[in-house]
Amino acid sequence: MQDYKLYKKQLIQLEQQLAGAHHRQLVLVTGNDNWCYELTNSLVQNTNTLTLSKHCALKNAQWPAHIHQILGQEFTHAIYDGFSGLYPDKLAAIAGTVRAGGVLFVLLPELGNLNNWQDPALKSVQSHGHSNQYSLFNQRFSSIIKSLPALHYSEEFGCINNNYNYVLHSNIDFEPQKNCVAQIVKLAHGRANRPLLINADRGRGKSAALGLAAAKLADKNVIICATQFRATHSSFKHLAAQLNVNYDPLQKQLANMQYIAPDALLNELPECDVLLVDEAAAIPVPMLLSMLAHYPRIVFASTLVGYEGNGRGYTIRFSQYIKNHYKASKVITLDEPLRFAKQDPLEQHIRSLLALDAQYQETNSNKSQIPKHSEVTQQQLVTDEALLCQVVALLALAHYQSSVNDLRQLLDAPSQRIFISKIDKQLVGVCLIAIEGGLSEELTEQVINGERRPQGHLMAQTLAQLSFNSDFLTHLSARVVRIAIDPSSHNCGLGKALLSYSESQVKEQCTWFGASFGATAQLLKFWQSLGFNAVKLGYQRDKSTAEHATLVVKSLNAPQQSLQSLIKQFQYELFYGLLSHFKSLEWQLVSTLLRSFNDEVIIASDTLRLFTQQLSSNRFTVSPTLWRLISQNPVIITRIAANQQQLLIQTVLQHHTDEQLIKNFNLSGKKQLEQLFRNTTNILAKQLSS
């Protein structure tokens, strides 16, 4: 083993400076992976360390599938193993767990090799059939981290001190948190139906405020809810400190406060005086709305940096819902850091590396001016940091499912084209388009039969599986991933103009053009006005938007007839669905969907052919066709056994609930019900073909 005394000495000096400044810092370790592991193990002896790595060479390594599993915890040190893949959301999340005086170690190849290094995380942004040998995300990451005022241990160059200096910010302002606690107490004693929203970046003491408030509400029954119990440890720890009692980290109830998971809360609906919902952005919006409807005194607290799950779905949709329906609601934003002092180096470094501090400046340009549209490459973005930040900020502002990983997708996805609009050199619109399809005949057949699901090609696969037409996979299509328009330029035709320009640029390359989005009547009308037709509506509401995802498409270089069967098939599926899983669909959306349909009728032979093709699909896909088949040919139901007739009648014609069907047929659950249904439809198909 090498002598790492010099490295250890520098680290001790750094930790002493950090402790005095109440700051946290990034330490970069670069070189061969084994050298990085050996050095880090020798430097970090503290047991209170979180290590994210897929490799057992690092002590106590773990690689959680979901970042929710580490949020809400604090550690003296944290180690991020970049050799396991440079995933932005995981890096941002682990940085948030480091306490004041602590260090985040980031392990990577030498920075000069980072661009061409085969980063394992690259696979996460590449569609099947595409690959990048060069990472623009890593190029930018390398350039920025090289210039950061941070300690750098390099196998090749030794100890590199990038002139980091500390301004002491020992005085931490607790007044904003005290005001937040007072507002929670006021809510508990005040009138009902006045929800409180607490928004904060990491380290601002929002979780602690929940525990401090519970201590002041000793006469109240308090429930705290979060996706992960570990995320509530800070709240329980501060409650225990106020009560001067010991806190067991495994204990889910302390004094007047009890932890209950979101699904258990909504299933059991236990009584309480105050409901505290922490990390609310990680909970599906429909669940939040259900909590809101049942509990009259409720607090929603969340970090809004975007790596918790729904991200902007919480800020845009849910927050707006609160403001519109609860006029007496209140929003508090905690800006002052409490877990560390202001100007924390680690927070600033992570924000710079992942463009988390990108802010969009709304334009005051003359709206009558004609925008200039153009295509920009990923290479142009990575060499123009100002434009990149504007693109990132506008996309985050306009979309409801932002993620820290979006930056990597933007720079490294090889099957993507980027179109922008500018007025007076100011960015006012962005349209991201994924090019899909171009798959082999062999793979296409496997996809249609449900045997393969290659990464990416989302729209192409859906269209092929709906239509059983291989052209949708062998030909190229363009899918709008996101379109974002400057909020001050809405309703000026800019979105239509940018989409029309984007269409003109992909028309020669692609056969179809489409998009998927949370369906509302207004949004669907927008796409219909541009010639797009709805061909699919999701059976369940999206967890972020509480809306059904719809897929719209139009022909570019194919006869419009290529889509007619899909449109007609969707028409019948919608009418069937309105009797069952679309019962609660907003009538305005239904009206907008109906206006795109016509009065033609599918003949019985076509229905039978479609039913046969759909046998490998799930129950929701087959049922509309089977319903139509039975209504056109009622006698076919007599060709199968009595118990099979019962299943189809109660499932397809009478719409019994899953719970009723499971009970009627003495099944163990939904999985067995699905299998029984599939077996029955296969038997019916054999009878019809004989």
Side-chain angles (χ1 to χ4, degrees), residues 99-112:
R99 61 167 55 123
V103 170
L104 170 65
F105 296 86
V106 176
L107 283 51
L108 288 168
E110 295 292 0
L111 296 182

Side-chain angles (χ1 to χ4, degrees), residues 252-271:
K252 295 187 177 181
Q253 180 160 2
L254 179 64
N256 60 317
M257 187 166 76
Q258 176 187 9
Y259 167 78
I260 300 181
D263 52 352
L265 179 82
L266 292 175
N267 287 335
E268 300 166 14
L269 295 176
E271 292 184 6

Side-chain angles (χ1 to χ4, degrees), residues 104-164:
L104 170 65
F105 296 86
V106 176
L107 283 51
L108 288 168
E110 295 292 0
L111 296 182
N113 303 327
L114 204 58
N115 306 353
N116 295 299
W117 165 57
Q118 285 305 292
D119 183 350
L122 265 175
K123 296 177 182 178
S124 67
V125 298
Q126 295 180 348
S127 299
H128 180 87
H130 299 272
S131 64
N132 276 353
Q133 301 304 312
Y134 187 92
S135 170
L136 291 171
F137 174 86
N138 285 350
Q139 176 185 323
R140 176 185 176 276
F141 193 94
S142 173
S143 174
I144 292 178
I145 203 168
K146 189 183 301 181
S147 63
L148 292 178
L151 199 58
H152 180 184
Y153 296 150
S154 166
E155 182 182 14
E156 184 176 357
F157 302 107
C159 299
I160 304 171
N161 186 333
N162 277 359
N163 301 316
Y164 52 86

